[in-house]
Amino acid sequence: MRKLIAFACEGKSLAATLDEAEGSTGLLIVSGGNEVRSGAHRGMAMLAHRLAAAGIPVFRYDRRGVGDSTGDNNGFLSAEPDLIAAAAAFRRAAPTVSRLVGFGNCDAASTLALFGRSAGIDRIIVANPWVVQPIDDLPPAAAIQARYHSALRDPVTWRRALKGQVSFAKLLRGLKRVFAAKTEERTSLATNVLTALDGWHDDAAIVLATGDATAIAFAARYRGGAQVKRFDTTSHSFAGTENAAALHAAIVDGMAQE
């Protein structure tokens, strides 16, 4: 059964959805960006329904200032109180849950890595963790570099260039971004997220969409020992039947790990 729940966080009212089940291991889904708890294309709502049907209780919530929750949206780095309150609300609403696993995509993955321990979460499954502090409107340098390598190996690129169909201004702008990145120091965000992930030791699993710019930027920096599953897709949100099935399988596998 699906149940709507309201809980408090620092004087504000947060909205949540609980897909009830009898299992003792529950999944807490954290939304990324300004995304509401149903997820892109209702992906998280459908994932929760499928997991609950298999006996896994699932809790999703809107952080402050997003969706049905009140308050101001101050971004994922300010979402620690929301995560702590959500984990506590989940345990109250589902008293059979004795082990809590967190799942998040993009900056929600970073939220879990940074603050999951303080929320009493036992294990995290993070997809395409956000480790880039934007300095312009271009994709991360690692993603630009990967795409250029692929494009330059493709004869179609050279045929388009000969026909004048390639924007050399855009090409030069991207190359400048790549070369500038080589002299940049690692950002504090990346350092903090990567260090936090290392602190989870065997209690973290990572899922990457290999063609996604955010995942490419993360993979270029990550040197830790957590289990990493890679899926050949460009969909950041794992949209589509095949991607959704792969993400579901990765989460079920990640939750089974002790």
Side-chain angles (χ1 to χ4, degrees), residues 230-253:
R230 293 175 169 86
F231 296 108
D232 185 17
T233 178
T234 60
S235 176
H236 179 71
S237 60
F238 300 92
T241 303
E242 187 175 343
N243 289 332
L247 179 62
H248 171 269
I251 290 175
V252 170
D253 181 65

Side-chain angles (χ1 to χ4, degrees), residues 41-257:
H41 313 290
R42 298 195 70 253
M44 294 300 100
M46 291 185 287
L47 174 66
H49 176 76
R50 187 175 180 184
L51 290 171
I56 299 171
V58 182
F59 191 94
R60 299 172 283 121
Y61 69 98
D62 295 335
R63 75 172 183 232
R64 282 171 295 174
V66 174
D68 296 321
S69 295
T70 64
D72 296 325
N73 178 10
N74 294 316
F76 74 101
L77 291 176
S78 300
E80 182 177 10
D82 309 63
L83 180 62
I84 292 172
F90 189 4
R91 292 186 184 277
R92 288 194 302 270
T96 61
V97 171
S98 59
R99 178 173 176 260
L100 205 56
V101 178
F103 169 73
N105 185 28
C106 195
D107 63 34
S110 301
T111 296
L112 281 167
L114 292 166
F115 310 129
R117 290 293 191 196
S118 59
I121 293 173
D122 301 292
R123 180 172 174 79
I124 57 172
I125 304 168
V126 295
N128 308 322
W130 181 258
V131 294
V132 178
Q133 290 173 315
I135 61 173
D136 51 37
D137 59 352
L138 291 175
I144 295 173
Q145 190 170 4
R147 289 174 183 174
Y148 281 176
H149 283 171
S150 176
L152 291 173
R153 292 194 298 268
D154 188 348
V156 174
T157 300
W158 296 101
R159 287 198 293 270
R160 291 183 64 239
L162 291 173
K163 293 178 181 178
Q165 297 174 343
V166 172
S167 171
F168 286 99
K170 185 176 180 180
L171 175 65
L172 286 172
R173 191 175 173 214
L175 289 173
K176 286 180 181 179
R177 176 71 180 89
V178 171
F179 291 132
K182 293 183 182 298
T183 62
E184 293 172 5
E185 295 184 359
R186 176 175 288 186
T187 66
S188 59
L189 174 63
T191 300
N192 291 342
V193 172
L194 294 170
T195 301
L197 270 175
D198 286 342
W200 285 88
H201 304 294
D202 294 333
D203 291 326
I206 300 169
V207 181
L208 299 178
T210 57
D212 171 61
T214 302
I216 291 170
F218 173 82
R221 297 174 181 270
Y222 185 64
R223 298 294 181 271
Q227 176 193 30
V228 180
K229 289 196 173 185
R230 293 175 169 86
F231 296 108
D232 185 17
T233 178
T234 60
S235 176
H236 179 71
S237 60
F238 300 92
T241 303
E242 187 175 343
N243 289 332
L247 179 62
H248 171 269
I251 290 175
V252 170
D253 181 65
M255 293 186 71
Q257 304 295 321

